[in-house]
Amino acid sequence: MAAGLLLRVSGRLLAGAAAGAGLRLRLSTAPSRDKKRWLRAYLEQQRLEAPPQRRSEKPNWDYHAEIQAFSHRLHENFSLDLLKTAFVNSCYIESEEAKRRELGVDQETVALNLQDNSKLAEQGTSFSRSYLRQCFEGAYPDLPAEGIGALVDFLTSQELVSYVAQNLSIQDLTLCREFPVPPEVLQRTFFAVIGALLNSSGPEKTGIFVRDFFIPQLIGKDLFEIWEVVNPMGLLVEELTKRNMSSPEPRITRQLGVSTVLPLYFVGLYCDKKIIAEGPGETLLAAEEEAARVALRKLYGYTENRRPWDYSKPKQGLAAEKALSSN
Amino acid sequence: RYVRQLQRLQLLFSPTSADARGARQFVEEAALDFARRHPDVVLYVRPRAGLAPVLVAEYLNGTVREELIASKTSEEIVQLATKLAGQSGLDIIRIRKPFHTDNPSIQGQWHPLTNKPSALTVQGPRLQPQ
């Protein structure tokens, strides 16, 4: 590029000298040989349109160091072999064997000594589910089994677990055939990591780990966003009969704008002339349903103003339950 | 629990150029200490010729931040690295409101029906049974 500049400058000097000396003007409009104007924009566009690539295929990647950093980041002592096994997925093993067969490498000389993470994933899933179930049974004793089941299903659902896993850099460390890693693989890998932790550090530490990473996902969520209840009024009547209280009578407490397009009704539910809940709604039926939901939230103790989750003490009495669940 | 959001730091510098002197001194003196103090950050040190010395920080949410370390001393690089290690990967943009509260209202937010009497007689100190 410097040579090109020099050529241009000398060209102009020559032209100036020639014009000064004679009357010949030689304008050099031949294209210069340096980089084109559009090149930078083109390279930027190529960079943006390039398909996403695994971090392990980009420069500066050390798998062993990354795994050690992963265990330090989570403040847990993993046994590194178990952790490395936890990241290996079956699709990866199949793809590697297929590649080796294609390359014609002998199976016995270069055997893949990699184990699957399916066993660890099962252990992790069953442990987390039973642990979360016990946590909720302890914290919300009035919540029925379907409610607790719905909460546990929500916390171990694919989207939530894959979201948590992605933000813990598990996507970079998984060995999988496809990229970007599909959410079910992320979920399986995360549970396999929990299984690896269970086998390395024992059930108590794993319980604390599960509590620290799953339970904060419930912050700000309402019970009936997670647990779909079709007939809240029927459920409420059942709950009240279980507690030997009379069935609720709905009454309109307040109403606003009845004859307009957007009416607002507040329906209160009364048991023995005492109010148990009040809920708003656009129509009377909607308001009654909402009042039933508010009453259920109060009965189950899952209101918005309940005490926040207690993260201080580790849960005791879990060891026996873990033995039961793993058997 | 606290999970450090910085995943890895890549230190790319030239082995001969003058503005990478601080980076070279950092690698010789302070890089090992930094790595020991932050065991959850992977520090990659790669000499490459011809380009400006740069510190690339990658965070858990995928953000990649490049910081020029040309003509910086070793201590300044240590400070910069500790600052990056304490940040989260959220974009550094203007914060629109300097306050946030999780409990916007203690006794309940006012709505047009808050202090209006209801249609039924509700138990209260004012309403006497007749």
Side-chain angles (χ1 to χ4, degrees):
Chain A
M1 212 161 86
L5 274 168
L6 276 172
L7 274 169
R8 251 187 271 134
V9 165
S10 58
R12 247 183 249 124
L13 278 174
L14 272 173
L23 280 170
R24 249 186 307 163
L25 267 173
R26 201 174 137 271
L27 297 159
S28 58
T29 48
S32 52
R33 296 280 299 219
D34 50 356
K35 292 195 176 96
K36 305 291 176 193
R37 273 189 73 201
W38 46 262
L39 187 64
R40 206 161 144 194
Y42 175 73
L43 288 177
E44 185 71 21
Q45 192 191 37
Q46 293 298 95
R47 195 177 68 87
L48 288 172
E49 282 174 6
Q53 230 186 356
R54 287 194 186 95
R55 181 67 184 80
S56 38
E57 286 158 17
K58 296 187 190 160
N60 289 335
W61 175 260
D62 182 7
Y63 194 60
H64 187 75
E66 293 280 341
I67 294 222
Q68 281 179 326
F70 179 73
S71 65
H72 280 291
R73 198 177 295 138
L74 301 175
H75 302 281
E76 295 286 346
N77 270 338
F78 283 93
S79 93
L80 292 177
D81 308 312
L82 279 174
L83 193 53
K84 287 194 182 175
T85 331
F87 284 119
V88 175
N89 285 298
S90 45
C91 51
Y92 178 75
I93 295 185
E94 282 155 19
S95 67
E96 283 293 300
E97 282 185 3
K99 261 192 253 169
R100 280 167 203 236
R101 257 180 268 128
E102 268 173 54
L103 290 171
V105 178
D106 197 5
Q107 285 289 338
E108 284 130 22
T109 46
V110 197
L112 258 187
N113 291 332
L114 286 178
Q115 272 177 356
D116 234 340
N117 64 356
S118 38
K119 201 163 80 78
L120 288 173
E122 276 165 35
Q123 282 180 350
T125 340
S126 59
F127 175 85
S128 343
R129 291 184 75 98
S130 56
Y131 178 82
L132 286 170
R133 186 170 282 270
Q134 272 167 44
C135 277
F136 291 132
E137 275 166 12
Y140 307 114
D142 302 317
L143 202 51
E146 307 122 17
I148 296 191
L151 283 175
V152 171
D153 284 332
F154 169 72
L155 285 182
T156 49
S157 66
Q158 245 182 43
E159 313 114 42
L160 201 128
V161 178
S162 58
Y163 170 73
V164 175
Q166 211 144 12
N167 286 36
L168 286 176
S169 78
I170 288 186
Q171 203 191 31
D172 294 334
L173 293 168
T174 19
L175 299 171
C176 176
R177 188 175 39 200
E178 297 106 21
F179 187 80
V181 187
E184 63 253 356
V185 177
L186 275 177
Q187 185 193 25
R188 201 166 59 214
T189 321
F190 192 49
F191 283 129
V193 167
I194 295 183
L197 182 60
L198 182 62
N199 288 334
S200 340
S201 314
E204 294 206 357
K205 290 217 111 179
T206 321
I208 298 180
F209 180 88
V210 169
R211 181 198 72 182
D212 281 343
F213 283 100
F214 281 102
I215 295 192
Q217 302 293 328
L218 281 178
I219 294 177
K221 294 258 183 332
D222 183 37
L223 179 64
F224 294 111
E225 276 175 36
I226 305 171
W227 178 25
E228 266 209 49
V229 164
V230 176
N231 183 13
M233 201 52 159
L235 193 58
L236 178 65
V237 168
E238 278 174 32
E239 288 290 324
L240 290 176
T241 42
K242 262 191 251 173
R243 286 152 220 251
N244 288 332
M245 286 158 74
S246 58
S247 60
E249 290 180 22
R251 296 271 187 272
I252 304 180
T253 352
R254 307 170 201 279
Q255 53 189 17
L256 208 56
V258 172
S259 53
T260 62
V261 139
L262 294 173
L264 174 65
Y265 296 101
F266 271 82
V267 164
L269 293 175
Y270 289 83
C271 271
D272 297 327
K273 319 265 182 73
K274 281 202 170 45
I275 190 160
I276 51 170
E278 195 186 12
E282 275 221 5
T283 60
L284 283 169
L285 285 170
E288 197 183 321
E289 199 188 306
E290 188 56 37
R293 282 181 203 268
V294 172
L296 281 171
R297 277 188 210 119
K298 277 195 192 161
L299 285 175
Y300 296 149
Y302 206 94
T303 50
E304 271 196 45
N305 58 354
R306 65 184 184 274
R307 281 202 97 93
W309 193 272
D310 182 18
Y311 290 95
S312 54
K313 62 174 187 343
K315 296 262 171 194
Q316 284 109 9
L318 242 43
E321 317 287 342
K322 286 311 125 263
L324 284 170
S325 71
S326 46
N327 289 352
Chain B
R1 64 187 67 177
Y2 173 64
V3 172
R4 193 184 293 280
Q5 294 291 312
L6 181 63
Q7 243 187 326
R8 55 188 81 89
L9 273 177
Q10 298 178 37
L11 184 60
L12 311 163
F13 62 101
S14 154
T16 37
S17 82
D19 52 0
R21 182 164 69 106
R24 291 193 289 269
Q25 275 180 340
F26 170 74
V27 166
E28 279 170 21
E29 296 155 15
L32 269 179
D33 289 328
F34 178 82
R36 271 201 199 103
R37 277 198 310 266
H38 304 262
D40 40 8
V41 175
V42 192
L43 180 64
Y44 292 99
V45 169
R46 181 167 292 259
R48 54 162 195 188
L51 294 166
V54 101
L55 189 61
V56 181
E58 287 176 45
Y59 290 92
L60 285 180
N61 60 357
T63 336
V64 175
R65 241 185 105 180
E66 291 183 7
E67 297 271 335
L68 269 187
I69 45 175
S71 313
K72 281 204 163 78
T73 61
S74 178
E75 289 89 16
E76 284 174 17
I77 297 180
V78 167
Q79 277 174 3
L80 178 64
T82 4
K83 179 186 92 151
L84 288 172
Q87 281 181 343
S88 85
L90 299 167
D91 299 331
I92 300 183
I93 51 170
R94 179 171 74 99
I95 298 179
R96 289 180 196 276
K97 358 180 212 177
F99 40 83
H100 165 79
T101 166
D102 284 328
N103 312 313
S105 143
I106 305 285
Q107 298 180 5
Q109 204 166 36
W110 182 92
H111 52 85
L113 295 170
T114 318
N115 292 320
K116 295 261 166 23
S118 75
L120 312 172
T121 49
V122 177
Q123 273 202 355
R126 276 178 284 136
L127 298 160
Q128 306 294 328
Q130 269 130 25

